[in-house]
Amino acid sequence: MRASGMASEAVSAVEATSNDVRRDAVREFKRQLIRDAAKRIFAENGIGEASMREIAKGAGYTTGAIYTYFATREELYADVLRDSLQVLYEEVETAIAAVSSNRAVAALRGLWTFYNSRDADFSLGFHLYGGARPVGLTPELNGELNALLDKVMTRIGEVMIDDGLAMEANAHHLAVSHATSVFGLLLMRKTGRLSSLNEDADRLLATYFTTLTSRTADNADTANESREYPA
């Protein structure tokens, strides 16, 4: 009798666990539908103009239903951008792991490929800023998202050191400098400016990488300014 009761309890526990797993999976599926809709709308309109009602409609839910998953529009925006930056890091890491040399070029090309093939992610990141100020996010959320992007820059800096293109003291500065050049080229391509100048983005990128890899550990050393840059 006791054995039967224990078996029944065990079955109930398994069923409860299975129900929890199923419920969590459904909840995550719904959150992803909301994130996907929000990414499209944020990319098109920016955080300032997008509304929860519009996002709810795009996800196939009521506005009230969205608030059970995300308390504010800013929280939703941060969640979408957080996911984008995490995938960016993973793709840069994958690009680095795929080669045994010129890993800094691979990392920067991974950065390029990610945003070049994802217009929504590119727009999403740059809609965060209005002028020089972050728009609509709390200092805590803004700090978290900046830290995720900085993680990518730090990784690029690490492989620049490995390739002899930087030293520890200036690796982060140089990584941000090179990433900024990649972002600039992306902006020129996505706004059609390169076409108006009769230039090809891939060719310009190849020229830039050739210039980058021609640098040596010695000239990286002379570029070291001990990170004394304006805050």
Side-chain angles (χ1 to χ4, degrees):
M1 191 78 170
R2 184 178 178 183
S4 176
M6 292 176 64
S8 178
E9 290 177 2
V11 169
S12 296
V14 170
E15 290 177 346
T17 300
S18 178
N19 289 337
D20 288 343
V21 170
R22 188 181 301 109
R23 184 168 52 252
D24 289 345
V26 170
R27 182 176 178 81
E28 181 54 34
F29 175 75
K30 291 180 178 179
R31 284 176 63 91
Q32 190 58 52
L33 287 177
I34 295 169
R35 281 193 291 258
D36 291 343
K39 178 184 283 191
R40 293 193 303 269
I41 293 166
F42 283 138
E44 293 170 2
N45 302 332
I47 187 172
E49 300 300 323
S51 70
M52 293 294 266
R53 178 178 296 179
E54 188 178 10
I55 293 168
K57 182 179 179 181
Y61 293 108
T62 64
T63 305
I66 283 192
Y67 283 112
T68 66
Y69 296 94
F70 300 97
T72 66
R73 178 184 58 179
E74 290 72 26
E75 182 183 305
L76 173 54
Y77 184 91
D79 194 65
V80 172
L81 187 53
R82 182 188 299 114
D83 181 67
S84 175
L85 291 171
Q86 288 172 340
V87 175
L88 168 64
Y89 180 85
E90 291 166 5
E91 296 219 356
V92 167
E93 194 66 69
T94 297
I96 293 169
V99 298
S100 58
S101 62
N102 291 333
R103 300 170 80 210
V105 168
L108 290 166
R109 188 175 289 281
L111 183 72
W112 164 270
T113 300
F114 177 82
Y115 283 117
N116 189 47
S117 61
R118 293 174 172 84
D119 289 343
D121 286 274
F122 185 78
S123 297
L124 185 71
F126 284 89
H127 271 307
L128 176 61
Y129 295 93
R133 295 177 57 243
V135 176
L137 298 182
T138 65
E140 293 76 18
L141 284 175
N142 186 51
E144 178 190 350
L145 295 171
N146 285 341
L148 287 172
L149 181 59
D150 191 61
K151 183 180 178 182
V152 177
M153 298 300 109
T154 298
R155 188 68 183 107
I156 294 172
E158 289 171 352
V159 292
M160 290 188 70
I161 294 173
D162 293 341
D163 286 353
L165 299 172
M167 300 184 69
E168 187 174 352
N170 69 341
H172 186 275
H173 169 75
L174 291 175
V176 173
S177 176
H178 291 305
T180 299
S181 296
V182 172
F183 282 131
L185 183 56
L186 281 162
L187 186 62
M188 290 284 283
R189 191 201 72 77
K190 289 180 182 292
T191 56
R193 293 296 182 268
L194 289 183
S195 296
S196 68
L197 295 171
N198 296 315
E199 286 289 352
D200 176 73
D202 290 332
R203 185 179 178 188
L204 287 169
L205 192 67
T207 298
Y208 182 73
F209 287 153
T210 298
T211 302
L212 173 62
T213 53
S214 69
R215 301 182 180 189
T216 65
D218 288 338
N219 61 35
D221 187 17
T222 61
N224 182 5
E225 298 176 4
S226 301
R227 296 294 305 278
E228 293 180 359
Y229 307 111

